[in-house]
């Protein structure tokens, strides 16, 4: 294994400063995801049962991502050895990128579940769109992994391009499916909830765009230690935005839609629903509502 191989970003020799930046980015993102996991668990009952699958998806993806970042930090720590004043990659260095792809193969499909759970699709249509979105998200990650890590150990330019294009096809399908679901749902909800759903979709799809850009760089230029450092920082920031920033916005949509359903008398919620320190609906107990309807 040649540590300076230009086609393998994770096999670059790092300066102490670059190694510290990589560790900081990975550990910082891991701590942020742990905090989000605790927040998601504590706030899951703030929404009605209708939208709670979104909260459960958020809890699952936060747990997986937190664990993945713990493994990733261990990979980085053991994957480089301080030798002669620089950090030289060891035999374990290649696992750093594999860990990320394993994480994404689980969490990206869960992100689609989280979004679709607060949309208005129902019945067979909802099941069909959800299955298609999850499958395309998974295949998008797996095909990208084949090009970036498996075929030619990620150093074959042709494989990078071919598998990148295949991954892009699933990427495009995912965009079309999610945007169509959101557009169909916006007219069925209040203005504030619709705005939050639109913002959440923009955050998610924009953050998704970072990954193929980083993937494509080795196709056009020889990567360096500085690029590997920037890549790890970019991936960590994108993960925080896609999982935490998006998740907080989706949770707001779920709360606002819960309040709308309670106000319209089509659902109940045992506690008042608050959003941005504003009471959106009163607490309504199911038993009280049944008595009132008699």
């Amino acid at each position: 294994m040649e540590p300076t191989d230009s086609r393998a970003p994770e096999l670059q020799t790092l300066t102490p400063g670059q190694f510290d930046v990589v560790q900081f980015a990975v550990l910082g993102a891991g701590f942020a995801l742990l905090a989000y996991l605790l927040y998601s668990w504590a706030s899951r009952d703030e929404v009605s049962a209708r939208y709670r699958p979104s909260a459960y998806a958020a809890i699952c993806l936060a747990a997986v991502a937190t664990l993945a970042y713990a493994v990733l930090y261990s990979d980085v720590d053991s994957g480089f050895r301080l030798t002669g004043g620089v950090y030289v990659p060891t035999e374990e260095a290649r696992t750093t990128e594999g860990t990320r792809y394993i994480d994404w193969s689980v969490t990206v499909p869960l992100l689609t579940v989280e979004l679709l759970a607060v949309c208005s699709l129902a019945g067979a249509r909802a099941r069909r769109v959800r299955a298609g979105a999850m499958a395309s998200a998974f295949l998008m990650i797996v095909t990208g992994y084949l090009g970036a890590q498996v075929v030619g150990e990620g150093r074959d330019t042709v494989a990078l391009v071919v598998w990148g294009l295949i991954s892009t096809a699933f990427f495009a399908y995912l965009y079309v499916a999610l945007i169509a679901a959101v557009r169909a749902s916006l007219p069925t909800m209040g203005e504030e909830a619709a705005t939050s759903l639109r913002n959440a979709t923009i955050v998610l799809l924009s953050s998704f765009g970072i990954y193929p850009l980083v993937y494509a760089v080795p196709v056009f230029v020889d990567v360096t230690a500085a690029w590997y450092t920037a890549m790890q920082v970019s991936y960590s920031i994108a993960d925080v935005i896609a999982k935490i920033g998006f998740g907080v916005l989706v949770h707001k949509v779920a709360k606002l839609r819960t309040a709308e359903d309670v106000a319209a008398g089509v659902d109940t919620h045992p506690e008042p629903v608050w959003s941005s320190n504003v009471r959106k609906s009163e607490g309504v107990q199911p038993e009280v509502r049944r008595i009132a309807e008699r």
Side-chain angles (χ1 to χ4, degrees):
M1 179 179 64
E2 176 57 50
T4 58
D5 193 315
S6 62
R7 288 298 176 188
E10 66 274 18
L11 300 183
Q12 303 299 315
T13 297
L14 307 179
T15 66
Q18 291 168 336
F19 182 78
D20 289 345
V21 169
V22 171
Q23 280 199 319
F24 181 88
V26 170
L27 196 58
F31 283 150
L33 287 161
L34 175 59
Y36 178 60
L37 170 61
L38 298 176
Y39 168 79
S40 299
W41 178 264
S43 61
R44 67 192 186 282
D45 291 332
E46 292 180 349
V47 302
S48 67
R50 179 182 178 184
Y51 307 109
R52 209 162 292 154
S54 179
Y56 293 152
I59 292 170
C60 290
L61 77 85
V64 170
T66 300
L67 180 59
Y69 266 86
V71 174
L72 181 59
Y73 181 82
S74 176
D75 289 341
V76 172
D77 188 58
S78 62
F80 294 87
R81 182 184 299 113
L82 183 60
T83 304
V86 294
Y87 281 89
V88 179
T90 69
E91 291 77 7
E92 300 177 9
R94 281 186 58 79
T95 61
T96 57
E97 291 311 289
T99 298
R100 284 196 181 277
Y101 278 96
I102 294 169
D103 168 15
W104 296 335
S105 69
V106 177
T107 57
V108 174
L110 284 172
L111 285 169
T112 67
V113 173
E114 190 176 357
L115 177 64
L116 293 172
V118 296
C119 290
S120 300
L121 305 184
R125 183 185 180 189
R127 293 191 294 272
R128 183 175 63 254
V129 172
R130 183 171 58 246
M134 292 182 70
S136 62
F138 176 76
L139 291 171
M140 175 182 71
I141 300 302
V142 170
T143 52
Y145 174 67
L146 292 176
Q149 291 284 298
V150 178
V151 181
E153 297 184 350
R155 284 166 278 185
D156 186 327
T157 302
V158 174
L160 279 169
V161 173
V162 171
W163 287 106
L165 290 174
I166 295 172
S167 179
T168 300
F170 293 114
F171 181 81
Y173 174 85
L174 184 63
Y175 266 50
V176 171
L178 294 181
I179 290 174
V182 170
R183 290 186 63 182
S185 302
L186 293 177
T188 68
M189 61 188 74
E191 182 178 354
E192 188 176 2
T195 299
S196 295
L197 179 59
R198 188 181 298 111
N199 291 341
T201 306
I202 292 171
V203 167
L204 180 64
L205 299 185
S206 298
S207 63
F208 275 179
I210 296 175
Y211 303 100
L213 290 177
V214 175
Y215 174 95
V217 168
V219 175
F220 302 101
V221 299
D222 289 339
V223 297
T224 62
W227 168 246
Y228 173 74
T229 304
M231 180 183 71
Q232 292 293 349
V233 171
S234 298
Y235 278 155
S236 298
I237 292 174
D239 276 352
V240 169
I241 294 173
K243 295 178 174 69
I244 301 176
F246 164 76
V248 170
L249 286 170
V250 167
H251 185 68
K252 181 180 180 181
V253 175
K255 288 201 297 182
L256 291 171
R257 298 209 68 184
T258 296
E260 290 174 1
D261 291 347
V262 171
V266 298
D267 202 353
T268 61
H269 195 262
E271 298 177 351
V273 176
W274 292 79
S275 178
S276 301
N277 287 326
V278 176
R279 186 191 291 259
K280 297 298 182 179
S281 68
E282 302 294 335
V284 177
Q285 298 291 338
E287 295 78 10
V288 174
R289 183 175 175 223
R290 284 200 295 268
I291 293 173
E293 289 177 346
R294 290 177 181 174

